[in-house]
Each structure stands twice: as C-alpha cells, then as structure tokens.
Amino acid sequence: MAASLIAVLAALAIGHLAPSLAAGLRQFGWFRDWLRWLNAQFPEGSLWRGRVGIALALAVPLLAAGLLQVALDRPLLGFVGLLCDIAVLAWCWGPRDLDRDVAAIIDAPDAHARREAAARLWPVGEPVRMDGPSLVEAVFRSALRRWFAVLFWFLLLGPFGALLYRLSALAVDEAVADLPPDTASGARAWLAVLEWPVAQLVTLALALVGNFDSVVGAWREPGALGLHTRVLGHAARASVRCDIAEEVADYAESGLTPTTAIAEVFGEMPELRDAMALAWRILVLWLAAIALFVIAGWVR
C-alpha cells in the first residue's frame, strides 16, 4: 500500500507538473484498432456480438498487463514494479485533465465557447446542459471516471485494475468504440458493475467533506443503492446547493444581498467552482485514508 500511495502521488504530480507529457502518454488508439479488428473477424451470432463479447476485447490486453505486473513485482526489491505502477496509473488517469476542463468553462469568453468547453464533461452524443445542477453532476461523473474509479481499482488490483477500468470505460465511449448493439449493452452493464462500489465510496466521502444531511437524504431515495443509480449525482447536487446557501446566508448577515453574496464568495458559475472544490476534498480524503493505513501498519 505504501508503494501504491507513492505511485498515486507520482501520477498526480506528472499530470499537474508535466501536462503535455501526460497528454502524450494517455493514448489508446491501439485499443480502438483492436476493437475494429474484432468487429471484422467475428460474424453475426458469434460470441463477440453478444453481451459477453466485451470479455474478448479485454482478455488479451489484461492478460498481458497481469503477466507484466507479476514479472516486475520482485526485481530490484520492487523498484521496477513501482515504476510500472506509476507509468500505468499515469497512463490510465484522466485521460483529460478535469481541472483544466472546468477552468475552461469558467474562463470562457462567451456562451458559445462556454458550451463547447462544457461538452468535454459529457459523453459523446449526450446533450450538454448548462444549468448549475447539471454541471455539478457532470463534474462528479467526470471525477468518478477520470480519478476515483481508476484509483479504486488500482488500489485493489494494482496496474491490472487501473487498466481494467480504463479499457472498460473506453469500450462504452462512442468516440472510441463502435461496438455491435449487444456487445455495447454488455459493456455498459460491466462498466456499471465496476463503478458501483466507487460511486458509493465517493458518496460516503462526500457526506464527510460536504453537507452530511443532504447526502444521507439522497441515499434514502428509493433505488439509491441500485446498480444504475445516479445517487452520486443527486448527492452532489444537494450538497453543493446546501454549501452555497450556507455561505450566502453567512455573508447576508453582513448586509449583502444574496446575489452580491454569491459574487463575493464564488464569482461566476458558483455551482461549478464548489463542485470542483468538493471533488478535490474527496480526493485528498482518500489519499489521507491511504496514508493512515500505511502509518498504522494495517496494510503492507
């Protein structure tokens, strides 16, 4: 776990201190070519064109990753394995920088540029919504897919887990994959399985760093624990709304109007700024928890 924490911090540093290097590293064109090759090889009625076809797409690259992970775990007292951990995690993180995408929305000079920037937070083909609550949900969905899910599966299974999640997410990305209908349906179901525990843990962390009552309220909604639930998005909306209301109420006591209070505290697009701040707080909380496990000696 100590090595995993070092790898996470190093991958984060690479993304922020060398963004061009990170962007150049995070290329998955080979996976798109692999999916196209499978499409060309298997006819209608084959296993590839069924709901479990995604397993064929993942099996070969993940087998190679697993063998490499085992082979590099021991040499030089694990140092080679640590370098592998850093490289694979930095590769699977993102692939776009969430901070830069959110900043591009806030700093956009006009409504058209703002909508174009916001489109980077939505999956390809999904309509872009510019209202505050929708942007909050988009930030947290992006944080889940770019940060937390990769981190969770990396901590659980090492580089194999990080690559497992990233390739599974790419398989449902219409910009990367053009899968047969049944294969795409199976890929979406598989991705939902991978994301479910992560969404619950992020929601729990949101309750700790945000508004506890609003998050618990979202968890109590019917079907909140279902596989395809949007509990994280609902909890994020409620938490951001409560946080802004509390900040505005504090400033209003000094005589400021609500509109002026929002401008004083958050500037433009307050929901977006607060959502990004909450996402960072959750990430710091996760890293602190990992560090405490290492210090306490509960895990190796």
Side-chain angles (χ1 to χ4, degrees):
M1 184 63 78
S4 297
L5 178 59
I6 294 172
V8 172
L9 295 176
L12 285 172
I14 291 172
H16 283 273
L17 300 179
S20 58
L21 173 63
L25 176 66
R26 295 165 184 165
Q27 301 296 323
F28 288 91
W30 62 270
F31 188 60
R32 181 188 297 110
D33 294 339
W34 169 239
L35 294 177
R36 288 174 178 169
W37 185 85
L38 289 173
N39 267 334
Q41 300 304 310
F42 292 92
E44 293 293 336
S46 62
L47 180 65
W48 163 248
R49 296 183 182 274
R51 286 180 61 85
V52 298
I54 187 60
L56 292 177
L58 298 176
V60 174
L62 289 177
L63 176 61
L67 293 174
L68 184 65
Q69 180 175 328
V70 172
L72 298 181
D73 186 52
R74 297 296 181 185
L76 297 179
L77 299 177
F79 181 72
V80 177
L82 175 61
L83 293 180
C84 176
D85 289 355
I86 295 171
V88 172
L89 185 57
W91 182 33
C92 295
W93 200 263
R96 295 185 58 87
D97 187 289
L98 183 57
D99 292 282
R100 291 175 180 270
D101 283 352
V102 171
I105 301 171
I106 296 173
D107 298 335
D110 53 54
H112 177 71
R114 182 163 289 171
R115 178 172 287 273
E116 285 190 342
R120 300 181 187 123
L121 299 182
W122 266 267
V124 174
E126 186 172 328
V128 178
R129 297 181 296 277
M130 296 301 296
D131 59 287
S134 295
L135 286 171
V136 169
E137 190 167 349
V139 167
F140 272 84
R141 180 177 57 220
S142 296
L144 175 74
R145 293 197 169 182
R146 300 187 193 191
W147 295 357
F148 296 111
V150 176
L151 178 56
F152 175 84
W153 288 107
F154 173 78
L155 294 174
L156 204 62
L157 300 175
F160 177 91
L163 189 60
L164 167 67
Y165 177 78
R166 179 51 60 218
L167 296 184
S168 299
L170 287 171
V172 303
D173 186 347
E174 294 183 16
V176 175
D178 184 16
L179 302 180
D182 288 343
T183 310
S185 177
R188 287 191 293 270
W190 170 241
L191 184 64
V193 171
L194 293 179
E195 290 183 344
W196 185 87
V198 188
Q200 302 304 320
L201 288 174
V202 174
T203 304
L204 175 61
L206 179 59
L208 298 177
V209 304
N211 187 283
F212 184 86
D213 291 337
S214 62
V215 174
V216 171
W219 245 331
R220 288 175 177 170
E221 293 180 3
L225 296 179
L227 187 61
H228 296 282
T229 181
R230 292 169 58 187
V231 64
L232 176 58
H234 294 167
R237 289 182 182 213
S239 188
V240 167
R241 184 171 58 249
C242 290
D243 281 358
I244 291 177
E246 290 174 0
E247 292 281 358
V248 169
D250 290 342
Y251 271 70
E253 292 178 358
S254 64
L256 295 176
T257 64
T259 302
T260 305
I262 290 176
E264 289 282 345
V265 180
F266 298 101
E268 293 188 22
M269 308 198 74
E271 296 93 348
L272 196 58
R273 294 176 185 272
D274 197 60
M276 196 66 237
L278 282 173
W280 265 108
R281 274 186 258 168
I282 293 171
L283 181 59
V284 171
L285 179 62
W286 276 37
L287 296 178
I290 299 169
L292 286 175
F293 289 153
V294 173
I295 294 171
W298 294 342
V299 291
R300 297 182 61 185

